[in-house]
Amino acid sequence: RGASNTAGLHRMLAGGRALLAGETPAAPGAAAATPVRVGDRLQANLGAGDTTLPSGELADVYELVVTEPTAITVQMQSRAVDSFLLVTTPSGEQLQNDDSGGTRDAQVELEATPGTYRIVATSYRAGETGSYELKALSSRDAAAPSAVVAASSGAERVERGELAQGDPQLRSGELFD
């Protein structure tokens, strides 16, 4: 249950799902993929109306276009579902992950070359529904995650910022907010 490459003619996915090598787990006639860019952090939900895999898991399909070689980390994080990611490269190689770092979140790291990548965000078992966050991060984005601040209601709030000329500087010259 970690990141792995597809090997052989058939392979098993979560819950015993079998796919032919090169096949993307989407229902026939599924809706077009949602575009995602490197640096995006999307809030999404697995629920009614989503693509349903042949084995019953709900799935959202994304398309990531890479224009120059770069290291990318795709993450799916959720408190509601046991996250499962499948990334298909432009050459048809499939990378998958479930339970990254011993958690119920999923993460796939890859050295991306130019082309279109298909990302399937799903759950480990059929019947799981709920919200999740999908991130497509460059190595720079992954090294500098957004600050998360606890709000008075107990919910989390994400603060986004940007370092720019005019920001305060440390004695050594680095900008800070």
Side-chain angles (χ1 to χ4, degrees), residues 14 29 42 50 88 92 103 109 118 145 158 167:
L42 306 173
D50 285 343
T88 304
T103 68
E109 297 175 355
R118 191 168 181 88
V158 176
D167 284 345

Side-chain angles (χ1 to χ4, degrees), residues 3-177:
S4 65
N5 294 334
T6 302
L9 181 60
H10 291 86
R11 68 182 186 72
M12 299 302 288
L13 290 177
R17 293 178 271 170
L19 296 176
L20 293 174
E23 181 183 8
T24 299
T34 301
V36 63
R37 296 176 310 219
V38 175
D40 281 355
R41 298 166 189 258
L42 306 173
Q43 299 297 318
N45 189 59
L46 290 175
D50 285 343
T51 296
T52 302
L53 302 179
S55 52
E57 293 86 351
L58 296 171
D60 290 329
V61 180
Y62 299 91
E63 191 172 85
L64 172 69
V65 176
V66 175
T67 57
E68 60 186 53
T70 186
I72 295 177
T73 300
V74 179
Q75 297 175 335
M76 180 182 178
Q77 298 173 319
S78 176
R79 292 184 179 168
V81 301
D82 188 355
S83 303
F84 190 93
L85 276 174
L86 176 70
V87 178
T88 304
T89 69
S91 67
E93 179 182 19
Q94 293 184 338
L95 307 170
Q96 64 181 0
N97 182 261
D98 171 48
D99 297 345
S100 173
T103 68
R104 289 172 34 109
D105 296 331
Q107 177 173 300
V108 173
E109 297 175 355
L110 61 138
E111 291 296 324
T113 57
T116 301
Y117 292 76
R118 191 168 181 88
I119 300 166
V120 177
T122 186
S123 62
Y124 187 73
R125 289 188 176 79
E128 290 186 281
T129 61
S131 63
Y132 66 90
E133 181 176 31
L134 181 80
K135 301 175 188 177
L137 307 173
S138 69
S139 56
R140 188 175 125 224
D141 296 327
S146 297
V148 177
V149 180
S152 60
S153 66
E156 292 182 341
R157 185 179 81 218
V158 176
E159 295 290 332
R160 304 203 192 286
E162 185 175 305
L163 296 176
Q165 293 299 328
D167 284 345
Q169 289 184 296
L170 300 174
R171 286 187 213 156
S172 56
E174 292 92 356
L175 300 172
F176 71 92
D177 285 330

